[in-house]
Amino acid sequence: MKKSAMQAQLQSLQNLARQAAGPFGKTAEQPAGGAASFSSVLQQSLGKVNTLQQQADTQVAQVHSGQSADLISAIVALEEADMSFQLLLQVRNKAVKAYDEIMRMQL
């Protein structure tokens, strides 16, 4: 998957997280008992995926420029970032599918 396509998907996921945060951009309140809300978990996951992608980009750039010769670590970082992104994309697909099914319910 190209970087621009991944950035576009990541942006759509961030928009989904903002929508899940609550109406008019309000942040969701923390549920009682210390459990994290869905929107906060989603935002944390987006942040982790973004961090992994930035770390992978940094390692690839270092290998490209000759600052680092650790090609294996760069490849592992890329694969880790790709796998986390694919997992997050599947979570988004499941959430959209659940939303569609709820919208199709007859009252």
Side-chain angles (χ1 to χ4, degrees):
M1 183 177 278
K2 293 190 173 212
K3 185 176 179 182
S4 61
M6 291 176 78
Q7 291 290 342
Q9 290 292 328
L10 191 58
Q11 183 64 36
S12 69
L13 289 170
Q14 288 173 338
N15 289 338
L16 183 64
R18 273 189 227 108
Q19 290 174 356
F24 310 110
K26 285 179 23 182
T27 58
E29 294 180 20
Q30 187 79 7
S37 68
F38 175 73
S39 64
S40 66
V41 170
L42 186 60
Q43 286 181 343
Q44 288 174 355
S45 298
L46 287 172
K48 287 179 185 175
V49 169
N50 192 30
T51 301
L52 286 173
Q53 288 184 342
Q54 289 174 346
Q55 289 173 348
D57 286 344
T58 302
Q59 288 188 3
V60 168
Q62 287 175 347
V63 169
H64 244 280
S65 65
Q67 294 175 347
S68 174
D70 195 5
L71 182 61
I72 301 297
S73 292
I75 291 172
V76 168
L78 276 174
E79 286 299 316
E80 188 177 1
D82 185 53
M83 287 179 65
S84 64
F85 182 77
Q86 293 299 323
L87 178 64
L88 190 61
L89 195 58
Q90 292 302 316
V91 170
R92 187 220 44 176
N93 290 343
K94 290 285 185 183
V96 169
K97 186 177 177 181
Y99 175 79
D100 286 342
E101 286 185 23
I102 290 171
M103 293 306 290
R104 275 189 257 138
M105 284 183 176
Q106 293 188 8
L107 300 176

